[in-house]
Every structure is written in structure tokens, then in C-alpha cells.
Amino acid sequence: MSSLTLKKKPARIIPGFHLSLGYTMLYVSLLVLLPLSMIFINTMSLSWAEFIAIISDPRAVASYKLSFGTALTAGLLNVVFGTIIAWVLVRYNFPFKRIIDGLVDLPFALPTAVAGIALTSLYAPNGWIGQFFDFKIAFTPLGIIIALTFIGLPFVVRTVQPVLQNISAEIEEASASLGATRLQTFTKVIFPELAPAILTGFSLAFARALGEYGSVVFIAGNMPMKTEITPLIIMTKLEQYDYAGATAIATVMLVTSFVLLFTINIMQWLANRRFVH
Amino acid sequence: MEHSTPIEQTVPNKGASTNKHAALQEPRFVRYTLTFIALAFLLFFIVLPLVSIFITAFQKGAQVYFDSITHPDALSAIKLTLTVVAIAVPLNAIFGVMAAWVLTKFNFRGKNLLLTIVDLPFAVSPVIAGLVFVLLFGAQGLFGEWLFANDIKIIFALPGIVLATIFVTLPFVARELIPLMQAQGTTEEEASISLGASGFKTFWHVTLPNIKWGLFYGLILCNARAIGEFGAVSVVSGHIRGMTNTMPLHIEILYNEYQFAAAFAVASLMSVLAIITLVIKDIVDWKSKSV
């Protein structure tokens, strides 16, 4: 008996464990788990053949390619420009820097529909920016990429910025004093430190872009097979009361997101093992 | 160094700083090019869209602007949005504090799983967030028949919009508080409890003052997203004018009817809110650094 009591964990000093755990579990069960499980329950009512037929419909497949391709391109654009912006904000001085730094968060604060109509009117053929281009930007996949780049920008900047701030000057000094050029110091010393943060920022932006709806529907043009993103397919099916179809496509999106999250976590774990000692 | 005169002190420092420039900074040409690229990118993606909202809003004059934002449909959209926010944000704030409390002050099995579940809404497309509530409460949904029999409307009505908004904004407060409370540990609370304070008193006088800026910032982010949520709300709202249209949905309708000035007028109201959010964020950052 005495060994049993010894093995027992010490009594929790801080109160409220059962209350806060119970409340949290109840809240997420009712508002997250139960609703999300409906997707899988409703999909289960479809036969395998029906399910495959819906999700491999050419229009749906075209939308996967479009959503994936534009989200990937936007994510990569954000990696390049987001890292440059983070670098410039941390390392250089220029006028209005503080205001510009604050504006990077605008895509987090601005409603997506507002961003959508603003970007559309700017990049439309007769818009402030669109008129200077011979080719159409809005109402093509290019427009979708622009909207998704807008949405994803803060994710990359805000994950890279603090890491860049925390790189100690000593390691750069050490690299320089050992004869490295500035470019070598960047590629061999600074970049490996930044890489995990860039990867995290990219994956957050990419995941957000895959599901994004509000900013894209205005600029996309929404032409079936050409500029119709996957969330819009779900929306269209819902408007036609095709719940089975909407649910099947939603399953594909959910599974993709979960696999993506899982892969990201593993990649981050590997990256941390590789770069952080 | 302590005994050196001010002049001697400045000379080596100056030498050090020029050295630093040569070895530790990029050539001037590179610095200027990078700054130019960064600013040009922000100009085309952030500044011009923001400026264009206000210019387009006033394109047809101040009269059209004020008519647009005082139109009964606009006013009812504003009222609905504020109602939704007033319900969803406090609920998620209480949840956020509870979840952060249990996830940072205690160790238990399944903690990482619970953390992942709290984060889940971030990984779900807003359209799917709306869809799941249609599957639960819609006419053909799980509770559809029961709700119809009891004459309760959830989908295409306020409760559905509130539920979808809660789902989408659920992680915001918790996500801000968890890293903060993790870093603060449990020693202060343990001290307070062992000195005889009650659990509630400990939370109110010890924990809350430590987390107030993080909580405030989480509230601001949650609020911004709740006001602006479009996809999820669009699925469950039914777009009934003057009834179930929130501000973003009202903007969509105006825009699709080619009433651009009116659409951008309402959009400008929301942009002002977004700018206020950014300013508050900046103040909170500054406050929490100086504490």
C-alpha cells in the first residue's frame, strides 16, 4: 500500500484542473469535433463508387490543380518577398519604418471580402495597376495568386522576423573574421538559422491559401475548369442543395489539410534536429 | 575603457563601426536594392489596395458615401455584425482563458492532442466551417427535422452565423495566451495558493495582471476576424437582406450589383476598423515590451 501512495503523483497545488479541462473538452467537442465529424459521417453514407465519382469529376480535379498550384506559387512568392521584407525591417533603416512594419499585418486585420474587392479593382484590366499590363491579371489564375499572396504575406514575415532579430552578431562576426564574404556568411551561417522559420511561415501561408475563399472569389472570375477553386466548388454544390457532393469534396480538402499539417510537423521536427543544437 | 577620456572613447568606437560596416553589412547597392524590392512589394500588395478602398469609396462624392453607409440594409448589416461579435468574441475569450489555463498550468495525458484540436479550426477552410453547421442543423441535417418540428431556426438565421463565427475564431485567444502562460510557469500561482488565496482570487490578482496584454491582443485579433469572416458566414447566412446579411456579405451584394462606390464605402468602414486593430496591436506590443 505504501509503495502505491508513493507512486501517486503529488496533489495538484493549482486549483481548477477539472473545471478548466471539463469546460475546454466540452467546448471543443460541441463546437469543433461534433461539427467536423459530420463531414466524415455524411461521406460514409455515400458508396465508395459514388464518392470516387464525385471527387474525380473533371471539374473537381481541375479545381484541385488550380487551388494547389496557386497556393504553392503564392507560398513561394511569400517565401522570397516575405524573407526580403523581414530582412529589410530588421537590418536596415528607412523613413516610416514603424508604420510600414505595422502595415505588414494588414492582411490579418482586413476582412477578406474587402481585400478581395480592393485587389480586384486594382488588378482588373482597367484598374490602377491592371491597365499597365498587356495581359489580364484579375479573372485569371494570376489574380488568384495575387489574392493568396496578400493573404499569406504576414505569416512568412512574422515567423522570420523574430528569428532574424535573435541571431547574435557574434556568429556573423566570427564568420567574417574567418574570412567569409558577406554572401558566404548569409548562405552558410544566417540562412540555415532562418530555414526552419521560413519553412514554418511557408506552410502556414500555404495551408491558409488552400482553404481561402473570401479574397479569391472576387478576383478569380470563377470560370469552371479554369478559375474555379475547390472551396468554390463546395459553395456551388451547396447552393444547388447537393450536400453529398459538397461533403465529398470537403472530405478531400480536410484530409489534404490534415496530411499537410502532419507533414509540416514532421518536417519541422527534422529541421529543428538538423539546425538547432 | 572606464578610465579613458570621452575623446579616446569615441575614436575606437568609430573605428569599430566602420569595420563592422565593411565586414558585417552588405554593400550599399545590395542594401538599397533589397529595401527597394521590399517597399515596392508592400506598395503593390498592401498600400495601394488600402488607399484604393478609400478613394473608390469617395469617388461619387461624400453624399453617396454617407447614403451608402446609412442605408437601412447597411445599418442592419452593421447591427447584425456587432451582435454576432458581441456573442462570439466573449465566449471564445472565456474559452481561451480556460484552455490556456488547463494546457499550461497542468500536465496530463492527451495534452498535445487537445492542443492540436484547439488549433484545428485554423486548418479548416471557412467554407467547410460553414458546411459542417449546415450538416448539423440544416433542413436535411442531423437535427434538421427536430428543429423544424420545434420551429427553431439555426441555419439562415442568427444562431448559425454565431456558431460559424465561433468556430472560425475559436483558437485566437487561446493561441495568444498559451505561449505567454507557458513562459510564466506556475510559481507565482503556487505562491499565492500556499499563502491562502482562493483559486479565483489567485487568477484575478496574480494570473490576470500577467496575461492582460496577451489577452487583450488575442481579443483584438479574434474581434477583427469575427467582424470580417466571410466564407463560413456566407454558407450559413442565406443572404436575406436586412435580416441575415453581415457587413462583408452586404459588401459582396453591393459589389455584385455594380454599386462599387457603395460597396467600397462599407468596405472603408471595415478598413478603418482594421487600421485601428493594427494601431492597438502596435501599442500592445510596445506596452508588453516595456512591462
Side-chain angles (χ1 to χ4, degrees):
Chain A
M1 276 307 279
S2 63
S3 68
L4 256 177
T5 32
L6 273 176
K7 269 184 186 172
K8 245 179 135 182
K9 277 186 184 172
R12 292 187 170 97
I13 302 166
I14 296 177
F17 175 71
H18 293 288
L19 174 71
S20 55
L21 182 67
Y23 186 85
T24 306
M25 298 276 273
L26 185 72
Y27 201 84
V28 295
S29 302
L30 287 180
L31 288 158
V32 179
L33 295 179
L34 172 69
L36 280 182
S37 65
M38 291 308 293
I39 298 277
F40 297 103
I41 293 170
N42 277 44
T43 304
M44 234 83 96
S45 68
L46 290 169
S47 75
W48 184 248
E50 284 172 316
F51 178 70
I52 294 295
I54 294 168
I55 67 166
S56 60
D57 175 64
R59 200 167 147 187
V61 173
S63 85
Y64 308 148
K65 284 183 190 156
L66 179 73
S67 278
F68 203 83
T70 49
L72 189 69
T73 314
L76 292 175
L77 280 175
N78 278 329
V79 162
V80 175
F81 291 100
T83 308
I84 292 176
I85 290 167
W87 179 271
V88 166
L89 286 173
V90 172
R91 298 287 172 113
Y92 306 151
N93 273 313
F94 47 87
F96 305 112
K97 184 168 148 179
R98 193 159 165 207
I99 294 174
I100 291 167
D101 193 333
L103 278 175
V104 169
D105 278 327
L106 186 76
F108 281 163
L110 197 69
T112 51
V114 174
I117 62 169
L119 290 170
T120 309
S121 66
L122 276 185
Y123 289 91
N126 58 352
W128 290 2
I129 300 173
Q131 59 178 308
F132 296 109
F133 291 88
D134 291 335
F135 49 89
K136 266 171 89 172
I137 298 177
F139 318 122
T140 71
L142 269 182
I144 302 177
I145 292 171
I146 284 180
L148 296 180
T149 308
F150 173 86
I151 290 298
L153 181 70
F155 288 103
V156 177
V157 178
R158 292 303 184 224
T159 46
V160 173
Q161 213 174 0
V163 178
L164 202 50
Q165 250 149 8
N166 286 336
I167 292 181
S168 60
E170 281 88 353
I171 64 162
E172 286 176 52
E173 281 161 18
S175 164
S177 67
L178 289 170
T181 64
R182 190 65 192 147
L183 187 66
Q184 281 172 326
T185 302
F186 180 78
T187 53
K188 302 240 161 89
V189 177
I190 301 173
F191 184 75
E193 293 275 329
L194 291 185
I198 292 176
L199 187 65
T200 308
F202 166 79
S203 35
L204 288 173
F206 180 66
R208 172 75 201 267
L210 273 185
E212 177 57 21
Y213 176 76
S215 58
V216 176
V217 280
F218 294 99
I219 204 165
N222 306 331
M223 295 267 292
M225 306 297 292
K226 284 191 184 129
T227 55
E228 192 178 42
I229 54 166
T230 311
L232 185 71
I233 297 244
I234 298 178
M235 202 64 151
T236 315
K237 286 188 185 294
L238 269 177
E239 274 163 12
Q240 298 159 349
Y241 300 101
D242 176 9
Y243 292 106
T247 316
I249 305 281
T251 307
V252 174
M253 281 194 75
L254 273 185
V255 170
T256 312
S257 311
F258 293 163
V259 169
L260 195 72
L261 274 186
F262 187 68
T263 319
I264 290 162
N265 281 338
I266 289 179
M267 274 161 75
Q268 263 175 335
W269 181 73
L270 289 175
N272 282 331
R273 223 177 42 160
R274 157 97 173 69
F275 293 117
V276 181
H277 312 287
Chain B
M1 282 297 276
E2 284 139 48
H3 301 289
S4 57
T5 64
I7 291 181
E8 275 173 321
Q9 226 173 11
T10 48
V11 175
N13 274 354
K14 235 183 183 174
S17 75
T18 33
N19 260 341
K20 195 184 165 197
H21 275 276
L24 291 171
Q25 251 205 339
E26 299 75 48
R28 177 176 293 226
F29 159 75
V30 175
R31 290 204 309 265
Y32 283 180
T33 311
L34 288 179
T35 311
F36 177 78
I37 292 172
L39 293 182
F41 189 86
L42 290 174
L43 178 73
F44 283 108
F45 278 88
I46 307 272
V47 178
L48 281 180
L50 189 60
V51 172
S52 78
I53 293 167
F54 290 96
I55 291 185
T56 319
F58 282 103
Q59 215 165 34
K60 297 234 169 101
Q63 191 58 45
V64 174
Y65 182 87
F66 288 108
D67 287 349
S68 312
I69 59 173
T70 54
H71 189 279
D73 286 347
L75 288 178
S76 85
I78 293 171
K79 207 176 130 199
L80 179 63
T81 294
L82 293 179
T83 313
V84 171
V85 166
I87 302 170
V89 174
L91 283 176
N92 278 343
I94 295 168
F95 163 74
V97 173
M98 288 286 209
W101 182 267
V102 77
L103 287 167
T104 60
K105 305 290 178 193
F106 304 101
N107 274 314
F108 54 94
R109 282 183 68 180
K111 187 168 154 172
N112 282 326
L113 183 65
L114 187 57
L115 194 62
T116 310
I117 294 171
V118 169
D119 267 343
L120 217 49
F122 277 158
V124 174
S125 172
V127 175
I128 297 179
L131 168 67
V132 292
F133 289 104
V134 174
L135 295 177
L136 271 177
F137 303 118
Q140 299 171 31
L142 190 62
F143 300 117
E145 272 176 46
W146 185 84
L147 289 171
F148 185 76
N150 288 281
D151 200 23
I152 303 172
K153 273 206 104 169
I154 292 186
I155 299 304
F156 305 146
L158 178 70
I161 300 176
V162 171
L163 284 171
T165 307
I166 290 179
F167 182 97
V168 171
T169 60
L170 185 132
F172 278 95
V173 175
R175 263 286 128 208
E176 278 308 307
L177 290 182
I178 287 168
L180 191 66
M181 285 166 72
Q182 202 120 50
Q184 283 166 353
T186 57
T187 42
E188 287 185 37
E189 282 83 5
E190 277 161 6
S192 162
I193 296 288
S194 61
L195 287 171
S198 70
F200 183 74
K201 218 173 177 181
T202 301
F203 173 76
W204 196 255
H205 292 289
V206 177
T207 312
L208 199 59
N210 279 335
I211 61 166
K212 63 180 180 207
W213 291 114
L215 178 62
F216 185 56
Y217 182 43
L219 274 175
I220 292 295
L221 278 181
C222 186
N223 180 61
R225 184 67 197 269
I227 289 175
E229 180 47 35
F230 179 75
V233 168
S234 183
V235 173
V236 294
S237 120
H239 304 265
I240 307 162
R241 261 184 203 226
M243 295 280 290
T244 61
N245 265 342
T246 61
M247 285 172 84
L249 298 178
H250 185 61
I251 292 174
E252 184 198 20
I253 290 187
L254 291 173
Y255 189 85
N256 287 341
E257 287 174 349
Y258 301 101
Q259 299 189 46
F260 293 129
F264 277 93
V266 181
S268 75
L269 284 184
M270 305 197 79
S271 309
V272 170
L273 283 175
I275 292 168
I276 293 173
T277 304
L278 295 184
V279 171
I280 294 176
K281 180 196 181 274
D282 196 57
I283 296 171
V284 170
D285 276 352
W286 182 73
K287 286 267 188 194
S288 52
K289 259 177 214 156
S290 62
V291 164

